[in-house]
């Protein structure tokens, strides 16, 4: 085959171009330390790189954002619950003061004031806390505070609250008692002997409840209904009694109402204090048959820092301004979940109803009621002592001394009631702490799992970075050697071409 100068020239240009391209490729690899610059350089590396980068991006999202946010949420929740537990621990010695010894007027009111402040701190400072603008204990309603931020007069609620047979406790109360009357004699006062009796008692979550149906209810709707239902341990074929409820204000209810006005199947609803007193017969049936209770009652007007009913109970609200009714389902199971790994969800929130018992409010209310009753008795004794000091008539003095004796007897009985109230406060603290500890244990187990997931993601992140580097990055020593070889090849192609194209036909003759 005849080889012409044109053929040699074209071939030389092609070799020089290939060598120059190879030199540029090696130079780019050396400069960028990457194996390829575009997918066409090596489709296999490009596809694998896309897969690894997608995986790395997902791991980074989980590890650096989702998991960290979940851990911070749970850390904040844990801190709040720990603080509540600490406050409950501080309440114990205060309650023990009244349980172990008789407290004078100033001492018991000092204890009561401290307990109220502790209770306020638990709900307003801890339970109502938020994380990054989201309330932690309110389930799905993270934009709504657990407590009413101000007095609310335009909302009425119908609340369904569930209890077990163990929710009904016994309380001591003083019945009878003497009252000063200018015309009473010593014999009259002697007949007014105070007695200590027992009542079967249940506290609702709220006081100052309504003695009428909420606006918009069906005509004739009652202020309260008590429905009993069987449990798994209820004897087969057991008759479920119907409870007849009588409502009145506590100021109108005398000790006799606790006994006689209830009948055999009745209950007394003290709507202003949010208490229900059961007859002995209905109480016995509830206990013997182990029946559950569902109590539907109404509350109108809420004070600042009252708990929103929808955060704890199935209920419905009526707005007297907008005329709208809003039903709320049972808030149980409102779990906020974060995706913390591939196909792995973690529940980050703890609901107030599962961790923070409203009994602490009601136990302190009951203690205050008992203390005020003691204050009233002691005031009567002081008034009688003042009258005795100013009286000179022997007959009247005898009458007043007898009155004082009856009041002192009533005081001694009330001391027993007050001691019991302090004891119930201690029981309340133990129950609240037990609930808090269960919630903390549940939170801790979930938090530990998320932390383990974070460790796993951190390892996966490092592994993926290594695989990505192996796939994309070139070894700097190899890159330098390849660059040197490419440069040598390019220089050689230039030298060879200059020699070949520099010869004429005479060089071959």
């Amino acid at each position: 085959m005849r080889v012409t100068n044109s053929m040699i020239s074209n071939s030389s240009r092609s070799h020089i171009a290939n060598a120059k391209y190879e030199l540029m490729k090696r130079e780019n690899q050396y400069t960028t330390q990457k194996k390829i610059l575009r997918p066409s350089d090596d489709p296999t590396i490009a596809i694998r790189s896309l897969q690894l980068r997608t995986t790395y991006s997902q791991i980074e999202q989980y590890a650096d954002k989702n998991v960290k946010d979940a851990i911070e949420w749970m850390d904040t929740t844990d801190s709040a619950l720990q603080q509540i537990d600490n406050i409950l621990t501080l309440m114990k010695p205060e309650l023990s003061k009244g349980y172990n010894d008789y407290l004078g007027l100033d001492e018991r009111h000092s204890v009561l004031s401290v307990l109220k402040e502790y209770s306020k701190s638990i709900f307003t400072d801890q339970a109502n806390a938020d994380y990054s603008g989201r309330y932690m204990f309110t389930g799905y309603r993270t934009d709504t505070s657990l407590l009413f931020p101000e007095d609310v007069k335009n909302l009425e609620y119908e609340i369904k609250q569930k209890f077990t047979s163990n929710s009904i406790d016994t309380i001591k109360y003083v019945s009878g008692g003497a009252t000063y009357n200018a015309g009473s004699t010593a014999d009259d006062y002697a007949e007014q002997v105070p007695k200590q009796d027992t009542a079967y008692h249940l506290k609702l979550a709220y006081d100052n409840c309504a003695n009428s149906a909420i606006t918009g209810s069906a005509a004739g709707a009652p202020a309260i209904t008590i429905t009993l239902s069987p449990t798994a341990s209820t004897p087969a074929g057991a008759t479920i009694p119907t409870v007849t409820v009588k409502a009145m204000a506590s100021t109108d209810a005398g000790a006799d109402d606790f006994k006689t006005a209830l009948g055999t199947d009745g209950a007394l609803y003290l709507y202003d204090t949010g208490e229900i007193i059961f007859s002995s017969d209905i109480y016995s049936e509830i206990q013997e048959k182990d029946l559950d209770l569902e109590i539907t009652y109404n509350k109108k007007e809420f004070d600042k820092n009252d708990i929103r009913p929808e955060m704890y109970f199935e209920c419905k609200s009526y707005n007297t301004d907008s005329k709208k009714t809003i039903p709320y389902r049972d808030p149980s199971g409102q779990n906020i979940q974060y995706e913390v790994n591939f196909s792995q969800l973690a529940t980050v929130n703890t609901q107030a109803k599962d961790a923070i018992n409203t009994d602490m409010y009601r136990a302190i209310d009951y203690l205050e009621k008992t203390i005020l009753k003691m204050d009233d008795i002691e005031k009567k004794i002081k008034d009688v002592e003042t009258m005795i000091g100013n009286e000179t008539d022997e007959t009247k003095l005898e009458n007043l001394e007898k009155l004082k004796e009856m009041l002192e007897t009533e005081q001694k009985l009330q001391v027993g009631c007050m001691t019991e109230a302090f004891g119930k406060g201690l029981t309340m603290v133990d129950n609240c702490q037990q609930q808090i500890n269960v919630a903390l244990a549940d939170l801790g187990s979930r938090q530990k799992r998320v932390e383990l997931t974070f460790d796993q993601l951190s390892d996966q992140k490092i592994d993926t970075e290594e695989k990505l580097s192996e796939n994309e990055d070139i070894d700097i020593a190899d890159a330098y050697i390849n660059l040197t070889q490419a440069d040598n090849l390019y220089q050689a192609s230039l030298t060879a071409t200059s020699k070949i194209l520099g010869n004429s036909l005479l060089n071959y003759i």
Side-chain angles (χ1 to χ4, degrees):
M1 183 181 70
R2 181 172 178 270
V3 178
T4 66
N5 284 343
S6 177
M7 292 172 63
I8 294 173
S9 177
N10 291 336
S11 178
S12 297
R13 278 199 299 269
S14 176
H15 290 312
I16 291 172
N18 290 336
K20 185 183 290 186
Y21 175 79
E22 184 67 18
L23 176 60
M24 182 182 68
K25 175 183 175 181
R26 299 304 180 183
E27 185 179 20
N28 286 332
Q29 287 181 341
Y30 182 77
T31 304
T32 63
Q33 298 183 24
K34 297 294 181 182
K35 293 179 180 178
I36 62 173
L37 294 179
R38 57 184 66 84
S40 59
D41 291 344
D42 192 325
T44 301
I45 291 178
I47 292 173
R48 182 169 174 77
S49 180
L50 286 173
Q51 293 173 338
L52 289 171
R53 285 185 178 275
T54 300
T55 301
Y56 184 82
S57 178
Q58 292 172 331
I59 292 174
E60 194 173 37
Q61 172 69 36
Y62 290 136
D64 295 344
K65 296 178 182 178
N66 294 23
V67 173
K68 285 186 177 180
D69 193 33
I71 290 176
E72 288 174 5
W73 179 304
M74 289 189 281
D75 279 344
T76 307
T77 302
D78 181 82
S79 177
L81 293 178
Q82 291 282 6
Q83 188 62 28
I84 292 173
D85 187 58
N86 292 338
I87 294 172
L88 287 169
T89 300
L90 293 174
M91 294 174 75
K92 283 186 175 181
E94 298 297 325
L95 290 163
S96 295
K97 291 178 183 177
Y99 183 68
N100 295 322
D101 195 9
Y102 171 73
L103 300 180
L105 178 66
D106 293 338
E107 291 175 307
R108 59 178 177 259
H109 278 278
S110 174
V111 168
L112 181 63
S113 177
V114 170
L115 292 174
K116 283 184 173 181
E117 287 301 315
Y118 282 151
S119 177
K120 181 179 178 181
S121 176
I122 286 173
F123 282 94
T124 59
D125 299 337
Q126 305 302 328
N128 206 40
D130 66 280
Y131 166 70
S132 298
R134 295 173 292 176
Y135 291 97
M136 299 183 298
F137 296 104
T138 55
Y140 295 149
R141 301 181 182 91
T142 57
D143 60 340
T144 305
S145 60
L146 181 70
L147 311 179
F148 286 106
E150 57 188 14
D151 293 349
V152 177
K153 305 302 180 185
N154 64 333
L155 286 181
E156 301 176 358
Y157 277 82
E158 181 183 273
I159 303 167
K160 287 185 180 180
Q161 189 171 352
K162 296 181 180 181
F163 300 91
T164 66
S165 58
N166 294 329
S167 302
I168 304 174
D169 61 358
T170 58
I171 59 168
K172 295 177 181 178
Y173 68 95
V174 178
S175 61
T179 303
Y180 173 74
N181 189 314
S184 296
T185 65
D187 291 338
D188 294 331
Y189 291 133
E191 293 178 358
Q192 300 175 16
V193 180
K195 293 183 293 183
Q196 192 178 76
D197 291 312
T198 298
Y200 306 105
H201 175 258
L202 182 66
K203 297 186 293 291
L204 300 175
Y206 294 92
D207 58 2
N208 297 321
C209 299
N211 191 28
S212 60
I214 65 172
T215 309
S217 298
I224 185 171
T225 59
I226 301 177
T227 304
L228 304 180
S229 59
T231 63
S233 57
T234 301
T239 303
I240 308 302
T242 300
V243 183
T244 303
V245 187
K246 180 178 180 180
M248 64 174 63
S250 61
T251 52
D252 299 328
D256 290 340
D257 291 306
F258 286 10
K259 295 180 179 179
T260 60
L262 304 176
T264 58
D265 60 352
L268 182 65
Y269 173 43
L270 306 177
Y271 55 84
D272 56 330
T273 60
E275 297 173 281
I276 299 173
I277 308 297
F278 292 90
S279 69
S280 59
D281 291 336
I282 200 71
Y283 170 77
S284 297
E285 281 205 71
I286 291 173
Q287 298 302 317
E288 289 172 4
K289 298 175 182 179
D290 191 22
L291 302 176
D292 283 343
L293 301 87
E294 181 180 88
I295 302 179
T296 303
Y297 60 99
N298 307 316
K299 179 168 174 59
K300 303 176 181 180
E301 301 184 356
F302 292 82
D303 296 330
K304 180 180 178 181
N305 293 331
D306 277 349
I307 297 172
R308 294 180 186 270
E310 62 267 29
M311 301 302 178
Y312 275 80
F313 311 110
E314 178 185 353
C315 58
K316 68 178 180 180
S317 70
Y318 180 84
N319 190 308
T320 56
D321 293 338
S322 65
K323 314 299 181 186
K324 289 183 178 180
T325 300
I326 301 176
Y328 296 97
R329 294 182 297 177
D330 185 341
S332 299
Q334 294 186 4
N335 298 327
I336 298 176
Q337 295 185 318
Y338 278 28
E339 187 174 1
V340 294
N341 204 346
F342 300 95
S343 302
Q344 180 181 336
L345 300 176
T347 300
V348 300
N349 69 315
T350 298
Q351 289 183 249
K353 70 183 298 297
D354 297 326
I356 308 167
N357 199 325
T358 59
D359 281 352
M360 65 182 72
Y361 262 146
R362 307 299 284 120
I364 293 173
D365 288 343
Y366 177 67
L367 178 61
E368 181 178 23
K369 177 182 174 182
T370 308
I371 287 175
L372 292 177
K373 175 69 173 176
M374 176 63 76
D375 294 348
D376 182 59
I377 296 172
E378 289 185 350
K379 182 179 181 301
K380 289 180 180 179
I381 293 174
K382 286 185 178 180
D383 291 342
V384 171
E385 288 175 343
T386 301
M387 287 189 286
I388 290 174
N390 296 329
E391 188 59 65
T392 57
D393 184 272
E394 292 295 331
T395 302
K396 291 182 178 180
L397 278 172
E398 182 183 356
N399 295 340
L400 291 173
E401 289 289 350
K402 193 62 179 180
L403 173 60
K404 180 183 176 183
E405 180 185 340
M406 292 298 101
L407 289 173
E408 288 175 342
T409 301
E410 185 177 359
Q411 181 190 27
K412 291 177 182 177
L413 295 175
Q414 187 62 27
V415 168
C417 296
M418 190 170 69
T419 301
E420 181 192 57
F422 277 105
K424 289 186 179 296
L426 287 169
T427 301
M428 172 274 296
V429 169
D430 288 337
N431 292 338
C432 290
Q433 283 192 306
Q434 182 178 4
Q435 187 169 346
I436 285 283
N437 290 332
V438 170
L440 280 169
D442 175 67
L443 176 64
S445 63
R446 289 186 276 116
Q447 190 171 5
K448 185 62 177 177
R449 183 187 176 196
V450 173
E451 289 172 353
L452 291 173
T453 299
F454 178 75
D455 293 339
Q456 179 185 357
L457 287 169
S458 298
D459 292 340
Q460 289 179 349
K461 186 177 178 182
I462 294 172
D463 292 342
T464 306
E465 286 176 341
E466 291 176 352
K467 292 176 182 177
L468 195 59
S469 177
E470 289 174 2
N471 184 65
E472 293 183 356
D473 298 341
I474 193 169
D475 184 82
I476 190 66
D478 292 341
Y480 180 77
I481 292 171
N482 293 336
L483 175 60
T484 303
Q485 289 177 339
D487 183 56
N488 291 337
L489 178 62
Y490 177 62
Q491 296 300 329
S493 64
L494 290 177
T495 302
T497 301
S498 66
K499 289 183 177 181
I500 293 172
L501 294 181
N503 295 329
S504 66
L505 181 60
L506 295 175
N507 295 111
Y508 297 97
I509 298 175

